[in-house]
C-alpha cells in the first residue's frame, strides 16, 4: 500500500450527470490513490456505469470536474481517455481471434517504413509487460486458442503496455470460472506492484474484500462513502451502505395468490444451472433474483423450451421444455432478455408484431383474419397505453418502454397462463416501468402466474410475492416478500454469502 | 383520430398509414410504366398492345421462378438453384419420355408414359429443393452457399444425362403439347396462363394467409420468430420445396415447348429471378418485399432490354443496360424510403 503523501491519481469533484427526468450521478466527489485496487460498489441503477462512462469519455458530465494527477481531465471520447492514461476493460472483449497474442498487443501501434512493417523495440516491451503480468501465455499463440480469461488478460496487458496508469475493470469475473478468477486476481496484484491503479467494479462482495484496498459506495446516484477496506467491518456493513434504509417500494400482499402449483420444475441442470427445483403457484408473482450470470436467463429459457436442459418441467401436469412452440401451446409466454434482437420484429409495424404468438386466433382455416389483427393492435395500444400516432408505425421507431409494451402485448394476446419476464424493465423509463408493473399485477390478479427474472432488487421487492435467490447457477433459498423482508439477507445470499446469516 | 370504424367497433388508435411495402410497390409500378412510356417515345412502334403483352409473355419463365425466389428472399434465404432445376427437370422429362431402344445413347430413354415422366421430373426438382432445405435448415449452412452448390449439382446431372449435348429425338407426340398449347384463340400460350394463375395464388398466400405472414416474421427476425413459437425450419423447408416445384414445372414446360432436353437451358435464369425481385423492392436481408413488386420489377427489366434491342444499340449492350437499371432502381428505392421515413 502507498503512503498518504502521494497525490491521488484520479479524482472527481461534484460530478453530476442529468438525463431527462433523472439525475443518474448526483454531486459525487472522491479520489483514488495511486497504485491501489479501488472498488466501486452499488446496486443496479446506483450510477456506477454512468460514472464509468464519464471517466472513459463515453459520456460528458452535466457539471463537475475530473482530475488526473492533479490536472484537469476532460475526455471528449474514449480515445482521449486512453491518451490520458485511463484504459477500460469492458465485459465484451475486443481482441482479434485470428491474430497472435503479440499482434493483438501491438495492434494499432505498429511501426512502418514505406508501408512495410518494421520490427521495433515495441515488441520486446510488450512481451516484457505480458511476461510480467502473466508468464504462462505464449506471445506467438493464436488468440482464438485462448480461454476467455486469457483473452481478458491480453486486453489488460495491452492497456498496461500502452502506458495506462489507471485500468477500469467492469465486472471482469462475470464469465470466469473460479480458477480463472484466481489467475485474474494474480494479474491485478502484479499490476498494482507496477504502479498501475485498478478501479474494480463487481457485485461479488467476496472478491472486493479479497482484492481491494479501498472502496467507494454509490447509492441512487449519490456518493455514500469512500474508505479503506480495512476500515469496513464486513459484508454486512457494506451491504447496509449499499441499500440504505429503505429499498422496497409499495409492496402489498396480494389476495389472488393460491397454493395450487401450476409449474413444477425439478432438477434443472446444464452447464451453469446446478440442480434447480421450484414450484410456481396460480395467481402468484414470483421473482428470480441474482447477479448477472447467476442463471436467471437460463432458467427462463429452459422453462420456455428455448434451450434444452436436463431435469423435468411440468406445467399443469403436462411435460414442457422441448420447444417454444410447445410452451406457447401449453400456455407459457416469454418476454426475452434482449427485446430488440429476441422479442421484437423491429422492421415490422406495431400491428404486425402483436398477433405472432397466437396463430390459432388469427387463422380461419389458414386464411389470415386481418380484422382480428386490427382489433388486437387497437386494443393493446389502448390498454397498455403505448404512445404512438398509429398502429402502422414501425416498432423500431418507438422508445424502449413502448417497445417493451409491444413485447408484453404479444404475450398477452397469446392468452398465456404463465408469463416469464426476463429483465422486463431494462432500459425502460420510470413512467413506463410503473405501467409495466401494473400490467404484471393485473395479469396475476386475473388468476395467471408471472415469473420475473431480474437483477434489480427494487424490482423484485416491489412486485413479487415470493423471491427465489440465485447464486452461481444454484437456487440458494427462497424469501417470502412482506413488510419485514430482510434486504440485507437477500443481498448477502446473491453475492455469495450462501444461505446463512449475514456475517 | 380514427377513420376505420367498419369492423364492428370504433378503433381509437388506427390512423392507418400506407405501409412502406405498398409505397415501394407503387414506386416500382410507376417506374415500370414511366419507362414504358419513355421507350414508346424513343422507339417506333413500341407503344402497342401486342408489345405490352409480349413484355409479360416472353418472360413467363423468369417471372414464375421469381415467385419462389421472392418468398425465399422475404424469409431471409437465397435460392440460386432454380436455373439448374429448370435444366434438370427438362432433361429428366425428356429422358424419361424417350422410348427405350433408340439408335444411339442420346436417343434412348426410359420409355415412361408422359404423365409418369412429368411426375419423375418433378420428383427430381423436389429432390434438389429438399437438398437445399436439408443443408440450410438442418446443417445451418448459409443458403447462398448451399444453393450455389445445388445450382451446379442440378445442372451437372442434366449435363451427364445429355452428355453435354441435347436429347431431342425419339419423343412421343404428346411431349410437345403442354408447352405449345394455346388458349384464348391462339394468342396466349398455356405457360403464360399458368404464370398468371401462379401469381394470383402467390399474392393470395402472401397477403391473406397465415403462411404468408409467417414468411415475413421469419425474415424480419428469425430469433424472435422462434421465441414466438414459429417453426421456422418447417416453414423454410416448405418454401424451398415450393420454389423447386415451380422451377421443375417451368423446366418441364420449356422442354415441351422446344421438344428437347438441353443442359444449358435456364442458364443465368436464377440471377434474372434474383434481379427482378430486387428491382421489385424485395430486401436482400429479408422481411420486406412482395410478389407484385417482383412482377413490376420484371417489367422494368423487360422494357429496358426490349427497348434496347429495338433501339440502335446492338443486343450486346443488354447486360450493361440491365446493370444500369439495377443500380438506378435500387438507389431510387433506398432514397425514396429514407425520405419517406425521415
Amino acid at each position: 500500500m502507498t503512503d498518504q503523501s502521494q497525490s491521488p491519481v484520479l479524482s472527481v469533484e461534484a460530478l453530476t450527470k442529468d438525463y431527462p427526468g433523472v439525475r443518474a450521478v448526483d454531486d459525487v466527489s472522491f479520489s483514488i490513490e495511486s497504485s491501489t485496487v479501488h472498488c466501486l460498489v452499488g446496486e443496479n441503477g446506483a450510477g456506477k456505469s454512468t460514472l464509468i462512462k464519464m471517466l472513459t469519455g463515453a459520456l460528458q458530465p452535466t457539471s463537475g470536474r475530473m482530475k488526473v494527477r492533479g490536472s484537469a481531465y476532460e475526455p471528449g471520447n474514449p480515445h482521449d481517455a486512453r491518451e490520458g492514461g485511463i484504459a477500460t476493460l469492458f465485459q465484451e472483449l475486443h481482441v482479434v481471434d485470428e491474430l497472435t497474442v503479440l499482434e493483438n498487443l501491438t495492434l494499432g501501434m505498429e511501426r512502418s517504413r514505406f508501408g512495410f512493417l518494421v520490427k521495433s523495440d515495441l515488441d520486446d516491451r510488450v512481451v516484457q509487460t505480458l511476461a510480467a503480468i502473466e508468464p504462462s501465455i505464449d506471445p506467438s499463440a493464436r488468440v482464438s486458442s485462448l480461454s476467455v480469461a486469457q483473452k481478458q488478460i491480453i486486453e489488460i496487458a495491452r492497456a498496461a503496455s500502452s502506458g495506462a496508469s489507471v485500468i477500469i475493470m467492469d465486472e471482469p469475473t462475470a464469465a470466469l470460472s473460479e480458477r480463472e478468477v484466481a489467475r485474474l486476481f494474480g494479474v491485478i496484484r502484479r499490476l498494482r506492484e507496477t504502479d498501475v491503479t485498478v478501479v474494480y467494479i463487481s457485485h461479488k462482495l467476496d472478491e472486493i474484500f479479497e482484492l481491494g484496498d479501498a472502496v467507494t459506495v454509490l447509492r441512487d446516484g449519490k456518493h455514500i462513502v469512500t474508505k479503506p477496506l480495512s476500515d469496513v467491518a464486513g459484508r454486512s456493513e457494506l451491504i447496509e451502505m449499499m441499500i440504505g434504509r429503505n429499498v422496497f417500494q409499495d409492496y402489498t400482499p396480494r389476495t389472488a395468490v393460491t397454493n395450487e402449483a401450476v409449474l413444477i420444475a425439478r432438477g434443472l441442470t446444464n452447464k451453469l444451472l446446478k440442480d434447480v427445483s421450484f414450484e410456481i403457484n396460480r395467481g402468484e408473482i414470483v421473482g428470480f433474483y441474482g447477479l448477472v450470470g447467476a442463471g436467471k436467463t437460463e432458467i427462463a429459457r429452459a422453462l420456455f423450451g428455448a434451450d434444452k436442459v436436463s431435469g423435468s418441467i411440468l406445467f399443469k401436469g403436462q411435460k414442457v421444455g422441448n420447444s417454444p412452440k410447445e410452451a406457447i401451446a401449453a400456455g407459457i409466454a416469454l418476454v426475452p432478455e434482449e427485446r430488440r434482437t429476441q422479442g421484437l420484429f423491429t422492421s415490422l409495424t406495431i400491428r404486425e408484431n402483436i398477433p405472432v404468438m397466437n396463430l390459432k386466433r388469427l387463422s380461419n382455416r389458414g386464411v389470415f383474419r386481418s380484422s382480428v389483427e386490427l382489433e388486437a393492435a387497437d386494443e393493446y395500444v389502448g390498454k397498455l397505453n403505448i404512445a404512438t400516432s398509429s398502429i402502422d408505425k414501425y416498432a423500431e421507431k418507438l422508445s424502449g418502454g413502448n417497445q417493451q409494451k409491444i413485447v408484453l402485448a404479444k404475450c398477452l394476446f397469446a392468452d398465456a397462463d404463465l408469463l416469464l419476464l426476463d429483465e422486463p424493465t431494462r432500459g425502460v423509463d420510470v413512467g413506463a416501468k410503473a405501467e409495466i408493473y401494473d400490467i404484471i399485477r393485473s395479469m396475476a390478479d386475473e388468476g395467471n402466474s408471472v415469473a420475473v427474472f431480474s437483477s434489480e432488487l427494487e424490482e423484485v421487492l416491489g412486485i413479487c410475492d415470493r423471491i427465489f435467490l440465485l447464486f452461481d447457477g444454484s437456487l440458494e433459498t427462497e424469501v417470502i416478500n412482506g413488510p419485514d423482508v430482510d434486504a440485507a439477507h437477500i443481498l448477502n445470499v446473491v453475492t455469495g454469502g450462501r444461505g446463512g446469516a449475514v456475517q | 383520430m380514427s377513420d376505420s370504424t367498419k369492423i364492428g367497433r370504433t378503433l381509437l388508435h388506427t390512423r392507418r398509414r400506407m405501409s412502406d411495402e405498398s409505397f415501394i410497390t407503387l414506386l416500382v409500378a410507376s417506374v415500370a410504366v414511366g419507362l414504358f412510356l419513355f421507350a414508346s417515345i424513343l422507339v417506333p412502334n413500341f407503344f402497342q398492345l401486342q408489345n405490352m403483352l409480349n413484355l409479360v409473355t416472353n418472360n413467363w419463365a423468369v417471372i414464375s421462378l421469381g415467385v419462389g425466389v421472392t418468398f425465399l428472399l422475404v424469409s431471409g434465404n437465397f435460392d440460386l438453384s432454380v436455373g439448374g432445376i429448370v435444366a434438370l427437370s427438362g432433361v429428366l422429362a425428356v429422358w424419361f419420355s424417350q422410348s427405350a431402344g433408340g439408335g444411339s445413347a442420346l436417343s434412348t430413354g426410359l420409355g415412361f408414359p408422359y404423365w409418369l415422366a412429368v411426375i419423375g421430373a418433378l420428383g427430381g426438382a423436389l429432390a434438389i429443393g429438399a437438398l437445399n432445405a436439408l443443408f440450410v435448415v438442418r446443417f445451418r449452412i448459409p443458403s447462398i452457399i448451399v444453393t450455389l452448390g445445388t445450382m451446379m449439382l442440378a445442372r451437372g446431372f442434366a449435363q451427364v444425362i445429355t452428355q453435354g449435348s441435347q436429347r431431342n429425338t425419339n419423343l412421343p407426340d404428346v411431349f410437345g403439347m403442354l408447352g405449345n398449347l394455346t388458349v384464348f384463340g391462339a394468342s396466349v400460350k398455356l405457360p403464360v396462363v399458368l404464370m398468371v394463375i401462379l401469381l394470383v395464388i402467390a399474392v393470395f398466400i402472401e397477403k391473406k394467409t397465415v403462411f404468408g405472414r409467417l414468411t415475413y416474421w421469419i425474415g424480419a427476425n428469425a430469433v424472435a420468430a422462434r421465441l414466438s413459437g414459429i417453426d421456422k425450419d418447417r416453414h423454410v423447408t416448405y418454401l424451398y420445396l415450393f420454389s423447386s416445384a415451380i422451377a421443375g414445372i417451368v423446366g418441364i414446360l420449356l422442354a415441351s415447348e422446344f421438344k428437347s432436353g438441353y443442359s444449358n437451358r435456364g442458364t443465368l435464369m436464377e440471377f434474372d429471378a434474383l434481379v427482378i425481385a430486387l428491382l421489385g423492392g424485395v430486401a436482400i436481408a429479408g422481411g420486406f418485399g412482395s410478389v407484385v413488386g417482383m412482377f413490376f420489377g420484371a417489367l422494368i427489366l423487360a422494357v429496358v432490354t426490349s427497348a434496347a434491342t429495338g433501339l440502335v444499340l446492338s443486343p450486346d449492350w443488354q447486360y450493361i443496360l440491365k446493370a444500369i437499371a439495377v443500380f438506378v432502381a435500387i438507389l431510387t428505392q433506398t432514397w425514396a424510403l429514407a425520405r419517406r421515413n425521415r
Side-chain angles (χ1 to χ4, degrees), chain A residues 40-60:
Chain A
L40 197 54
V41 299
E43 278 202 277
N44 284 329
K48 298 190 302 285
S49 40
T50 310
L51 179 68
I52 294 309
K53 281 181 184 156
M54 288 190 283
L55 287 177
T56 56
L59 281 176
Q60 308 309 317

Coordinates of all heavy atoms in Angstrom, one line a residue, chain A residues 40-60:
Chain A
L40 N -15.5 -0.2 -6.6 CA -16.7 0.6 -6.8 C -17.9 -0.3 -6.7 O -18.1 -1.2 -7.4 CB -16.7 1.3 -8.2 CG -17.5 2.5 -8.5 CD1 -17.3 3.6 -7.4 CD2 -17.2 3.0 -9.8
V41 N -18.7 -0.1 -5.6 CA -19.9 -0.9 -5.5 C -21.2 -0.1 -5.4 O -21.2 1.1 -5.1 CB -19.8 -1.8 -4.2 CG1 -18.6 -2.7 -4.3 CG2 -19.7 -1.0 -3.0
G42 N -22.3 -0.8 -5.6 CA -23.6 -0.1 -5.6 C -24.5 -1.0 -6.3 O -24.1 -1.9 -7.1
E43 N -25.8 -0.9 -6.0 CA -26.8 -1.7 -6.7 C -26.9 -1.3 -8.2 O -26.4 -0.2 -8.6 CB -28.1 -1.5 -6.0 CG -28.3 -2.3 -4.8 CD -29.8 -2.4 -4.5 OE1 -30.3 -1.5 -3.9 OE2 -30.4 -3.4 -5.0
N44 N -27.7 -2.1 -8.9 CA -28.0 -1.6 -10.3 C -28.7 -0.3 -10.2 O -29.7 -0.2 -9.4 CB -28.9 -2.7 -10.9 CG -28.1 -3.9 -11.4 OD1 -26.9 -3.8 -11.7 ND2 -28.7 -5.0 -11.4
G45 N -28.4 0.6 -11.0 CA -29.0 1.9 -11.0 C -28.5 2.9 -10.0 O -29.0 4.0 -9.8
A46 N -27.4 2.5 -9.3 CA -26.8 3.4 -8.3 C -25.9 4.5 -9.0 O -25.6 5.5 -8.4 CB -25.9 2.6 -7.4
G47 N -25.6 4.3 -10.3 CA -24.9 5.3 -11.0 C -23.5 4.9 -11.4 O -22.7 5.7 -11.9
K48 N -23.1 3.6 -11.1 CA -21.7 3.2 -11.4 C -21.4 3.3 -12.8 O -20.4 3.9 -13.2 CB -21.6 1.7 -11.0 CG -21.8 1.4 -9.5 CD -21.3 -0.1 -9.2 CE -22.1 -1.1 -10.0 NZ -23.5 -1.3 -9.6
S49 N -22.3 2.7 -13.7 CA -21.9 2.7 -15.1 C -21.9 4.1 -15.7 O -21.1 4.4 -16.6 CB -22.8 1.8 -15.9 OG -24.1 1.9 -15.5
T50 N -22.8 5.0 -15.2 CA -22.8 6.3 -15.7 C -21.5 7.0 -15.3 O -20.8 7.7 -16.2 CB -24.0 7.1 -15.2 OG1 -25.1 6.4 -15.4 CG2 -24.1 8.5 -15.8
L51 N -21.0 6.8 -14.1 CA -19.8 7.4 -13.6 C -18.6 6.9 -14.5 O -17.8 7.7 -14.9 CB -19.6 7.0 -12.2 CG -18.3 7.5 -11.5 CD1 -18.4 9.0 -11.4 CD2 -18.1 6.8 -10.1
I52 N -18.6 5.6 -14.7 CA -17.5 5.0 -15.5 C -17.5 5.6 -16.9 O -16.5 5.9 -17.5 CB -17.7 3.4 -15.6 CG1 -17.5 2.8 -14.2 CG2 -16.7 2.8 -16.6 CD1 -16.2 3.3 -13.5
K53 N -18.7 5.7 -17.5 CA -18.8 6.2 -18.9 C -18.2 7.7 -18.9 O -17.6 8.1 -19.9 CB -20.2 6.2 -19.4 CG -20.6 4.8 -19.8 CD -22.0 4.8 -20.4 CE -22.5 3.4 -20.7 NZ -23.9 3.3 -20.7
M54 N -18.4 8.4 -17.9 CA -17.9 9.8 -17.9 C -16.3 9.7 -17.7 O -15.6 10.5 -18.4 CB -18.5 10.6 -16.7 CG -19.9 11.0 -17.0 SD -20.6 12.2 -15.8 CE -20.9 11.1 -14.4
L55 N -15.9 8.8 -16.9 CA -14.4 8.7 -16.7 C -13.7 8.3 -18.0 O -12.6 8.6 -18.3 CB -14.1 7.6 -15.7 CG -14.3 8.1 -14.2 CD1 -14.1 6.9 -13.3 CD2 -13.5 9.3 -13.8
T56 N -14.4 7.5 -18.8 CA -13.8 7.0 -20.1 C -14.2 7.8 -21.3 O -13.8 7.5 -22.4 CB -14.3 5.5 -20.4 OG1 -15.7 5.5 -20.4 CG2 -13.8 4.6 -19.3
G57 N -14.9 8.9 -21.0 CA -15.2 9.8 -22.1 C -16.3 9.5 -23.0 O -16.6 10.1 -24.0
A58 N -17.0 8.4 -22.7 CA -18.2 8.0 -23.5 C -19.4 8.9 -23.2 O -20.3 9.0 -24.1 CB -18.6 6.5 -23.2
L59 N -19.4 9.5 -22.0 CA -20.5 10.5 -21.7 C -19.8 11.7 -21.2 O -18.7 11.7 -20.6 CB -21.4 9.9 -20.6 CG -22.4 8.9 -20.9 CD1 -23.1 8.5 -19.7 CD2 -23.4 9.5 -21.9
Q60 N -20.5 12.9 -21.4 CA -19.9 14.1 -20.9 C -20.7 14.5 -19.6 O -22.0 14.4 -19.6 CB -20.1 15.3 -21.9 CG -19.5 14.9 -23.3 CD -18.0 14.4 -23.2 OE1 -17.2 14.9 -22.4 NE2 -17.7 13.3 -23.9

